[in-house]
Amino acid sequence: MVSRRKEHEAYLNKVLSNSLTSENPSKETMQKGKKSSSSFYNDLKNGLLKKYENTKFEDFPNTNICENQYGETLKIVSKEKTDFNLESNSDSVTCDLKIIKGIGQSTEEKLKKSGYNNIQSLLNHAKYSSKAENVLSNIETDNFKDKINYIKENSSNKNNLLKCACDIPRENFKFMDIETLGLSNVQIILIGMAEINKKEIITTQYLLRDKNEEPALIYEFLNQLNEDDVFVTFNGKSFDVPFILNRANYYRINFPDELINYDLMYYARNFWKDTLPDCKLQTIEKEIFNIERINDVPGNFIPNYWETFHENNNIGPLIPIIEHNNLDVVNLAKFLNYMYNKTCSL
């Protein structure tokens, strides 16, 4: 009984240490509480105003003004090394016999026990040979968009879509994230997009300096896309892409036909919903990749930081927002690489 009581007290102390209202909150809890307060971010903002006083974006390398038919916007380019590589695994999708209509879980298990381990082997099966031939004609194609769209329509296993990522040319991946002044019907203040070029990942960011520049910003971003590009986002299907589409429609700017979008949030939930506290981007960064951001500005403070920049003509408050966005898109490449390899190993 004494031992059980001590265990209970130790557990209770641990729980209480995670509360700011306890007598002895842990250092980690104190730090979290400090960084969740408005006073912390107000002090951070004031410090940035002092640090970057009389500094302009044009003072930084690889920063220039883009001009198009809608006006001007600021373009920021950065580069870093990457080991991004999705090794081809051509058999991974065809091992799922359930892609063939009429084959469910139990039938697949029976077929595999009989030696039919992939769709190719079913070409010799009396019942499924013609169906197997039809499936293979659709997925053994040089057009990755046709393959992905076929898998999307005919496979209930969402991981099969992720396995198809190796068929996409590296240069067609567009790792994308936006920052806005709110959740709907407000300006986009920053669009970041990263691309793979050999051993480098190149990030291009379009920044809003004045609300009147938004159509130029959107046009410049969309002008960088082509019909074979593939978005890689985190919650981009529900937020980023519809948000850009809505703002483009507002200015009557043509948005390209719907591009393939690998929204990694859905795969994150499948992988880690039972093992992580949540599946937020920064939780995954910390828990899976051991990446912890310093003085990162949460989304709810971004509108105030942008307004302070605009009112004071001081770039300081925008520096952490630009860095935040840059990390988001670069880390999406790491996430995709990791999730692809994890899926193919299952």
Side-chain angles (χ1 to χ4, degrees), residues 38 78 93 105 229 280 313 323:
S38 57
S78 58
V93 173
Q105 185 67 40
D229 283 338
K280 294 178 180 178
N313 194 27
E323 292 175 347

Side-chain angles (χ1 to χ4, degrees), residues 60-171:
F60 294 94
N62 302 315
T63 302
N64 56 76
I65 296 172
C66 296
E67 187 173 359
N68 56 52
Q69 65 198 70
Y70 293 94
E72 293 182 348
T73 187
L74 193 72
K75 178 180 179 181
I76 306 166
V77 179
S78 58
K79 302 178 182 180
E80 61 181 86
K81 297 293 184 182
T82 182
D83 56 0
F84 182 85
N85 183 34
L86 305 184
E87 293 186 6
S88 178
N89 191 349
S90 58
D91 294 333
S92 60
V93 173
T94 59
C95 288
D96 184 0
L97 307 185
K98 298 187 297 299
I99 296 174
I100 296 176
K101 291 182 179 179
I103 297 181
Q105 185 67 40
S106 60
T107 302
E108 182 185 55
E109 291 174 1
K110 292 177 183 177
L111 287 168
K112 288 193 173 182
K113 284 181 180 179
S114 300
Y116 297 99
N117 294 315
N118 54 44
I119 295 175
Q120 288 89 337
S121 65
L122 287 174
L123 292 172
N124 300 316
H125 192 277
K127 181 177 180 180
Y128 295 110
S129 60
S130 61
K131 290 184 177 181
E133 185 177 1
N134 178 60
V135 170
L136 291 173
S137 68
N138 281 283
I139 63 178
E140 292 182 343
T141 171
D142 292 333
N143 189 319
F144 72 84
K145 293 179 70 175
D146 289 344
K147 177 178 179 178
I148 289 174
N149 287 327
Y150 182 84
I151 292 295
K152 187 186 297 184
E153 294 173 6
N154 293 277
S155 175
S156 59
N157 185 349
K158 300 303 180 184
N159 283 342
N160 282 334
L161 287 174
L162 192 54
K163 292 175 182 178
C164 293
C166 65
D167 298 314
I168 302 169
R170 290 154 52 97
E171 61 271 16

Side-chain angles (χ1 to χ4, degrees), residues 261-279:
N261 185 350
Y262 276 96
D263 191 332
L264 301 187
M265 184 181 72
Y266 299 103
Y267 299 105
R269 287 175 175 173
N270 286 337
F271 290 145
W272 300 305
K273 64 181 179 181
D274 297 325
T275 57
L276 295 182
D278 56 62
C279 289

Side-chain angles (χ1 to χ4, degrees), residues 1-13:
M1 288 291 292
V2 175
S3 176
R4 290 288 298 275
R5 182 177 177 181
K6 287 182 177 179
E7 288 179 4
H8 178 73
E9 289 176 347
Y11 174 75
L12 188 61
N13 287 332

